[in-house]
Every structure is written in C-alpha cells, then in structure tokens.
Amino acid sequence: MTEQTAIETSVQAAPHKGKFFLVDASYLGSGRVSGIEIANEEKLIHPGMNVVSSPNGIPDQYPERPHLLHVPDKGGMPRDLEELAGIWILSEPLKQVFEQMDAEAFAFVACDFSLADGSPGPQYYLGNVLRRIDALDETASRVKITLDHNYQTGQDEKLYSLVGGASLVFKQDVVGEAHIFHQERMGAPPVCDRAMFDALSAANFSGLRLRDVADI
C-alpha cells in the first residue's frame, strides 16, 4: 500500500456545514456499555466466519431468529441505537423513522428479546445500511487518501480515511434522492442528509450520534 498525503484545499468548512452527517451509536462514557448480548450468537455465525454478519437484505440470512438478552450485571437496557460487534441494534421507533425516510437503504432483521427474568422485552432489530455510492467531492474535501493495490485488476484503488480529522463535501447530483448511504472506499459510519438529520433530531433518540461531516 502506498500512502499519499491528505488533499489540501482552500475551501472552508463553514459553507458546507449542516448538509451531511455521520450516523452512529454514541459512547456511554466512563467505561459503561449496554447490557445487551446476542444469546444465540454462535448459531448465527455462518461456516467459515468468526463473527455474526450484518443484515444483508437476503431472506432467511440467519439460520434462526436472533435472540437478544439483557444482562443487568453488564449494563443497562439498550438505547434506541446500540452497536455490538459492528452490527446496529435499534429500537422499533428508530427503525420506523429510517423506513419512513429511506426504506430502500436498509436491511432489518427482527429479534427476540428476553429480559433478565425471562420475560419478553421491547422489539429490537439488527440493522444495516446497504446503500453504497461514490459521491465524495475530492476537490472540495479535506480527507486523507491512501492507495491500495488491487492484484485482481492490477489497478491502485483510492481509500479514504478520517483519521486525523477531515472536512467532507458530497456531490448532490450523485447523492440524488438518497437520504442515507455509505461512501465507497471509506471506513466510516453511514452518511445522512439534512432531511434525515432533522427527522432523527426531532425524535430525540437515545444512543444516536450525529456529526457534521464538514468538520470531523
């Protein structure tokens, strides 16, 4: 892998603020974690894999229905959004807002949820943002770029990194009607637009972190 320096640009972050946002689960702080576990985790792992795969939209992806368990000794009840081993775990109200705004972008899998005493808990889902587009405006953005050689194609491919900070600008004509997406070749949380941001902010969901990509 050959590393290049970050793109330098005279574009200021301010004109691009308030347009696009990273969406992920917030940290509880003070070393606290959510007291949620996947009780049947081993049964959900496909042969040859080491972890449970995120939902991919394929029916019957998992051999059985995921079963969440609240373990009070580990932590509190799950918030509207949690992340466990890279998989989103989200509440029914949050799922409904995501679907109302941009249903085609997501894959959801309903879970069973047992409280510590064995009684059923509220409905939760495993979730994933499936849409991936390449909408980054490199010229207007400040982002670190590395080159990774693809030995199958023989070509060097650009990889985008937010390490050390970044200011991202996305091409609206490429984003189009999408309200949420993953930027191709960027190891980062999904990106939502202002309409999705407003809908999520108005609902005041717990555990949800929204960060303006103009100044990360």
Side-chain angles (χ1 to χ4, degrees):
M1 179 180 290
T2 304
E3 184 174 303
Q4 294 183 340
T5 58
I7 294 176
E8 296 294 337
T9 175
S10 60
V11 175
Q12 299 297 313
H16 303 288
K17 284 188 175 181
K19 295 183 177 181
F20 292 96
F21 306 82
L22 294 180
V23 185
D24 62 355
S26 64
Y27 297 106
L28 284 167
S30 302
R32 295 177 298 152
V33 296
S34 173
I36 193 79
E37 292 182 354
I38 302 178
N40 58 343
E41 180 177 7
E42 292 186 0
K43 295 181 179 179
L44 303 181
I45 299 175
H46 290 94
M49 302 292 289
N50 296 319
V51 296
V52 178
S53 299
S54 295
N56 58 20
I58 298 176
D60 302 320
Q61 172 187 353
Y62 303 114
E64 61 185 52
R65 186 181 175 100
H67 184 180
L68 303 179
L69 178 65
H70 180 222
V71 183
D73 288 344
K74 183 177 179 180
M77 284 283 287
R79 301 167 296 173
D80 288 299
L81 182 63
E82 300 288 354
E83 185 171 326
L84 187 63
I87 300 178
W88 275 5
I89 298 176
L90 60 158
S91 67
E92 178 75 45
L94 178 54
K95 171 181 176 286
Q96 290 180 0
V97 171
F98 279 145
E99 288 185 319
Q100 290 166 3
M101 293 298 301
D102 198 347
E104 295 181 356
F106 295 92
F108 299 110
V109 175
C111 302
D112 293 329
F113 181 24
S114 296
L115 303 180
D117 62 4
S119 61
Q123 182 64 65
Y124 274 82
Y125 298 82
L126 304 187
N128 188 25
V129 177
L130 299 180
R131 181 185 291 122
R132 306 189 71 88
I133 57 178
D134 188 359
L136 185 68
D137 186 337
E138 287 187 11
T139 302
S141 298
R142 175 174 53 82
V143 62
K144 188 175 182 180
I145 298 177
T146 61
L147 295 179
D148 187 29
H149 189 72
N150 187 321
Y151 290 94
Q152 292 183 335
T153 65
Q155 302 294 318
D156 288 334
E157 298 179 347
K158 291 181 180 180
L159 301 178
Y160 304 113
S161 172
L162 306 185
V163 175
S167 178
L168 307 180
V169 179
F170 294 99
K171 301 174 183 177
Q172 188 60 62
D173 60 328
V174 178
V175 174
E177 299 298 319
H179 291 300
I180 192 166
F181 60 92
H182 278 286
Q183 164 62 37
E184 288 281 11
R185 304 185 306 281
M186 180 179 288
V191 177
C192 79
D193 70 352
R194 183 71 195 205
M196 178 75 82
F197 172 87
D198 288 341
L200 295 171
S201 298
N204 196 29
F205 290 115
S206 61
L208 187 67
R209 181 171 64 160
L210 298 165
R211 291 175 289 162
D212 197 318
V213 302
D215 187 15
I216 304 173

